[in-house]
Amino acid sequence: VSWMFYSLLLWIDGNRLKHLLFFTGLFGLSMIIRPTNGMFLLLVPFLFPDTKTFWERLKQLFLSKTIQLIASLAVFLIPISIQVYSSYQQFGKVQFNGYSNEGFSNITNPYFWSTLFGFRKGIFIYAPFLLLIIPGFIVLFFKNRRLFYGFFLFFVVAVYILSSWWFWSYGGSLGYRSIVDFYSVLAVPIAFL
């Protein structure tokens, strides 16, 4: 996810095909590892300098650089197709989600506070360094409102979605392992300190 994030930033800055291909390929890999990594797309519009630039880049990608769009979609689908093919070979049916009997059964009543501060697996208990995200958000609010809105929205949605999983603590690991993928993203508000 860190490399994917970095590739996206390089593509935003330079608009080069290789960075877009790295981003989409790594995004495909991250999706087969943990489908909730798709939440990362929430952050993309906020990483552009302004909304107009974001829409112009998308318009350019869809209208004048369709070959780049097709190539990036193909690179995104390669890891996903390998996963789907592997599942088909093992189980005799096409499936992307290996957690078919599990899901987000706590979506209406997520374990939000337990996910953040619970002694069982709380993010801030097992990774206290992430507490710096709170003053980081305050500084980010005054330094760059656009980034603040994007990262704050991403953080709230990520914690909400992850805490809605049927087994909100995600097993017997030490710490909240489903948030580890996003450490590089959460480091940005901290970096503004």
Side-chain angles (χ1 to χ4, degrees):
V1 172
S2 299
W3 195 12
M4 174 185 73
F5 187 29
Y6 182 63
S7 299
L8 175 65
L9 293 176
L10 289 175
W11 177 67
I12 289 170
D13 287 342
N15 198 12
R16 296 186 61 194
L17 177 60
K18 74 176 184 177
H19 298 136
L20 179 62
L21 295 179
F22 271 117
F23 168 68
T24 55
L26 293 167
F27 185 64
L29 281 173
S30 75
M31 289 291 292
I32 65 171
I33 292 169
R34 185 170 283 123
T36 54
N37 286 346
M39 291 181 291
F40 183 80
L41 290 181
L42 283 173
L43 194 55
V44 173
F46 298 97
L47 296 174
F48 283 84
D50 53 48
T51 308
K52 183 181 177 191
T53 308
F54 169 69
W55 287 114
E56 284 175 1
R57 182 71 61 88
L58 279 184
K59 184 178 165 184
Q60 179 186 50
L61 195 61
F62 278 91
L63 298 178
S64 63
K65 295 190 175 184
T66 24
I67 295 297
Q68 288 186 7
L69 178 66
I70 292 167
S72 60
L73 282 173
V75 169
F76 169 74
L77 291 173
I78 287 170
I80 292 177
S81 63
I82 292 170
Q83 174 75 15
V84 170
Y85 179 73
S86 174
S87 295
Y88 178 76
Q89 289 296 315
Q90 293 175 30
F91 305 112
K93 60 181 178 178
V94 173
Q95 66 180 23
F96 177 70
N97 183 11
Y99 301 100
S100 56
N101 295 332
E102 303 169 3
F104 295 95
S105 57
N106 296 320
I107 199 82
T108 58
N109 191 21
Y111 287 83
F112 197 82
W113 296 112
S114 297
T115 298
L116 291 175
F117 298 104
F119 284 100
R120 185 172 179 190
K121 291 290 177 101
I123 294 168
F124 295 137
I125 301 297
Y126 281 83
F129 181 75
L130 288 178
L131 278 169
L132 291 174
I133 201 170
I134 297 167
F137 277 136
I138 294 168
V139 171
L140 189 58
F141 180 78
F142 292 108
K143 294 251 184 200
N144 188 329
R145 292 266 169 99
R146 182 173 181 78
L147 285 179
F148 165 78
Y149 292 131
F151 282 95
F152 188 75
L153 173 71
F154 173 80
F155 180 71
V156 171
V157 169
V159 171
Y160 180 81
I161 297 292
L162 295 175
S163 65
S164 298
W165 187 247
W166 75 277
F167 191 37
W168 72 271
S169 63
Y170 291 86
S173 61
L174 295 174
Y176 205 73
R177 66 184 175 93
S178 59
I179 202 78
V180 171
D181 287 349
F182 302 127
Y183 277 0
S184 61
V185 175
L186 300 178
V188 171
I190 295 171
F192 271 82
L193 287 175

